[in-house]
Amino acid sequence: MTSKLRLVLKFGGTSLSSAKQIKAVAKFVHNVSKKNQATVVCSAINDVTDQLIQISEFIQKGNKAAASSALAKLKKQHQQIAKESVSNSKIRKKLDEKLNAILAELEGLLNGMMLLGEVTPRSLDYLISFGERLSVGIVSHVLQDLKSKSVDLTGKDVGIVTDSNFGSSKPLMDTTRLRVSANLEPMLSKKIIPVIGGFAGADQHGHITTFGRGGSDYTATIIASCIKADEVWLMSDVDGLMTADPKIVKNAKVIPEVSYVEAMEMALFGAKQIHPRSFEPLLTKKIPLRIRSTFNVNNSGTLVTATPDESTNKTVKCVNVIRHNGLIDMRGGSMVGAPGTAATIFSVLAKAGVNIMMISQSPSESSISVVVKKNDLDKAVNTMEMNLLGKIIKKIDVTADVAIIALIGSGMRGTVGVASKVFGAAAKKKVNVVMIAQGSSELNLAFVVKDSDCAAAVQALHEEFKLAE
Ligand code: ASP
Ligand code: MG
């Protein structure tokens, strides 16, 4: 790297699961910051957010003993990692004090929630924001142990202001931009490395809010937009976005470059799931994002930009799969030409809390098929039977275990013959295609097969589109 870059480096929980890993992360940041200006965003230590959510469930059930023992486990985990990762005794003492103060606040919160016996969206966000508060304390002190100057901050401290939509808040970007840059610029010019807790911010009343699961990615891109970073690196345990799941396709490869829109489609599938809103803050300033592995830093990963290099543009960039879903096919003569049929079906499913992943209707209008998560299948079928069977629906057919295969690539747009290649390849492997959907953006072509056929279909397509080359 020749010129100095302003970087935002985000580390996911899987990169922070032990003292050894945290030390490696700090070392990496320390080295990167010798030649560049680094701002760090961290998730909670692996699994900690899940543990906090579990604590909230204990509180809801009034199970004080279980909540306390889960808290004790969290305390021990963090104190142990802190002890093992900082060697300078002064810095360790400072870190211990910091962690103890945070853990005491967490304990106070749990007691309060327990007394009230309720978990509100607001108290839940406050509770689950503690994972990141604890992790950044540790990472920042490990950096100090390496003689880097570093400060740890929460999303609230750094100035991320959001709406009050607890659990899936959005940043108020104008205010956030002013506050974040006012807070970070002086630190950066003094060569201090800010280590910021991902996932959470605060609303205008100062109440902690979160962005939803995986929200640290979003924090990283928000910060990057506020300080006009040159690049954002999402560091995790995968090498980048892949042409297919390497468990299914042996010679699957890291995709070198994709566009923001392609990445948004891919973010929903595969090993590296990215918070879907993460790309928004990058779009106006066209800040590039890299998806890289913490454990394989020589690999440059996948670059996400507005305009990927021509040489990397292929018709199809990857073949992804979402396995183990249920397909429901609904038929009935009275569905034909009856306005509102689809609306009725979807609202009945929505009322039951079932999320629909894929939809298709034949032009004869005599059948509508939907794909839902397997966990939702029974609920979906029950509610359709109770509310609509014998009325607008005459017959319901269910296929219990199907896979959605999705080909993604903006090169499909306007390219003639993609579908025939896709279904030709499936046919050669004697794979029966159960349902097809393509959005008119032509960025994504998805079809459904029996789950037992999915490996053969994915392998055939990976080969057909020469994705290993
Ligand atoms: N710790 C949060 C979660 O597990 C946020 C994140 O990891 O990005 O969802
Ligand atoms: Mg996480």
Side-chain angles (χ1 to χ4, degrees):
M1 241 165 271
T2 46
S3 64
K4 188 168 168 156
L5 294 176
R6 176 170 275 198
L7 299 172
V8 175
L9 311 179
K10 180 258 167 178
F11 294 89
T14 49
S15 304
L16 305 169
S17 59
S18 64
K20 191 172 160 217
Q21 285 188 0
I22 292 178
K23 282 200 271 187
V25 162
K27 189 91 203 265
F28 177 74
V29 173
H30 178 78
N31 289 338
V32 167
S33 67
K34 281 183 193 154
K35 296 200 194 91
N36 305 281
Q37 210 175 46
T39 296
V40 176
V41 173
C42 294
S43 295
I45 288 174
N46 197 23
D47 198 40
V48 167
T49 310
D50 288 323
Q51 292 181 53
L52 289 165
I53 290 173
Q54 203 186 27
I55 290 179
S56 76
E57 288 160 3
F58 293 143
I59 294 173
Q60 206 135 31
K61 291 187 199 131
N63 191 344
K64 186 159 191 202
S68 308
S69 78
L71 174 66
K73 185 176 159 211
L74 271 185
K75 268 192 190 170
K76 217 173 123 198
Q77 183 183 7
H78 286 89
Q79 283 163 342
Q80 183 69 25
I81 288 182
K83 193 170 130 203
E84 288 170 19
S85 48
V86 175
S87 44
N88 179 307
S89 59
K90 257 202 212 138
I91 297 173
R92 198 159 72 215
K93 184 152 174 277
K94 219 166 46 119
L95 173 58
D96 281 343
E97 281 165 12
K98 168 138 226 162
L99 294 182
N100 287 340
I102 298 171
L103 290 163
E105 185 182 331
L106 175 58
E107 187 164 2
L109 172 65
L110 291 191
N111 289 334
M113 288 171 78
M114 195 59 100
L115 271 177
L116 289 168
E118 64 173 11
V119 180
T120 62
R122 186 170 128 193
S123 59
L124 180 63
D125 267 5
Y126 183 20
L127 171 61
I128 61 180
S129 74
F130 273 82
E132 275 72 10
R133 285 177 65 181
L134 293 162
S135 69
V136 289
I138 297 177
V139 171
S140 173
H141 284 76
V142 180
L143 276 167
Q144 293 169 34
D145 203 34
L146 296 172
K147 303 201 167 48
S148 278
K149 286 189 277 182
S150 173
V151 174
D152 61 282
L153 301 153
T154 63
K156 180 179 174 178
D157 296 335
V158 79
I160 296 180
V161 184
T162 73
D163 59 21
S164 303
N165 200 349
F166 297 99
S168 57
S169 62
K170 279 206 210 123
L172 307 176
M173 275 315 272
D174 292 335
T175 320
T176 298
R177 203 179 301 286
L178 290 174
R179 295 197 187 175
V180 169
S181 69
N183 283 323
L184 292 185
E185 292 296 349
M187 293 183 196
L188 293 172
S189 61
K190 281 186 233 146
K191 296 198 167 38
I192 295 172
I193 304 173
V195 180
I196 302 162
F199 186 41
D203 71 3
Q204 283 165 306
H205 310 288
H207 300 134
I208 306 286
T209 54
T210 70
F211 296 131
R213 295 308 303 269
S216 302
D217 298 333
Y218 197 18
T219 303
T221 60
I222 292 167
I223 302 278
S225 147
C226 295
I227 61 170
K228 303 191 180 66
D230 296 305
E231 282 188 15
V232 183
W233 295 356
L234 298 185
M235 310 291 297
S236 72
D237 57 346
V238 300
D239 279 332
L241 298 173
M242 305 286 294
T243 53
D245 180 349
K247 279 187 232 109
I248 298 178
V249 179
K250 291 259 149 17
N251 57 0
K253 267 189 10 180
V254 171
I255 310 172
E257 284 191 41
V258 297
S259 66
Y260 293 124
V261 271
E262 288 170 329
M264 274 184 235
E265 295 275 339
M266 294 176 193
L268 302 171
F269 305 90
K272 176 60 192 150
Q273 308 210 333
I274 303 169
H275 191 287
R277 289 225 184 88
S278 306
F279 300 98
E280 285 169 23
L282 305 175
L283 300 179
T284 40
K285 297 198 183 71
K286 299 196 168 56
I287 301 172
L289 174 108
R290 260 178 216 284
I291 298 160
R292 305 187 58 182
S293 164
T294 310
F295 308 112
N296 184 8
V297 288
N298 296 326
N299 188 321
S300 55
T302 300
L303 179 66
V304 186
T305 63
T307 42
D309 195 84
E310 280 295 332
S311 68
T312 66
N313 276 341
K314 289 185 172 179
T315 319
V316 170
K317 286 199 173 162
C318 65
V319 187
N320 280 318
V321 46
I322 312 182
R323 299 190 60 173
H324 305 305
N325 309 292
L327 179 117
I328 309 170
D329 183 57
M330 292 157 277
R331 295 169 185 276
S334 53
M335 288 164 60
V336 180
T341 306
T344 308
I345 291 174
F346 299 149
S347 72
V348 165
L349 288 173
K351 270 203 201 105
V354 174
N355 182 43
I356 303 173
M357 305 170 72
M358 200 167 151
I359 304 166
S360 93
Q361 177 183 269
S362 59
S364 74
E365 299 179 30
S366 61
S367 113
I368 290 182
S369 306
V370 298
V371 178
V372 301
K373 288 243 157 63
K374 205 172 175 185
N375 295 343
D376 283 341
L377 185 61
D378 285 345
K379 193 162 59 168
V381 174
N382 280 343
T383 182
M384 297 313 291
E385 283 176 353
M386 272 165 49
N387 292 291
L388 301 176
L389 192 63
K391 297 174 194 158
I392 55 175
I393 297 173
K394 289 282 161 320
K395 192 166 182 293
I396 299 181
D397 281 319
V398 176
T399 315
D401 204 7
V402 298
I404 301 176
I405 297 179
L407 293 99
I408 298 166
S410 45
M412 288 193 282
R413 193 177 300 145
T415 305
V416 177
V418 177
S420 85
K421 258 175 118 175
V422 171
F423 299 119
K428 258 189 259 157
K429 298 279 172 201
K430 304 219 165 16
V431 170
N432 181 39
V433 175
V434 185
M435 172 175 165
I436 303 170
Q438 176 173 41
S440 51
S441 72
E442 296 183 49
L443 208 63
N444 187 329
L445 171 65
F447 62 97
V448 174
V449 299
K450 273 207 302 230
D451 196 79
S452 51
D453 283 339
C454 98
V458 171
Q459 285 155 1
L461 289 166
H462 199 265
E463 211 172 297
E464 181 71 37
F465 287 96
K466 302 188 171 43
L467 298 185
E469 286 168 20

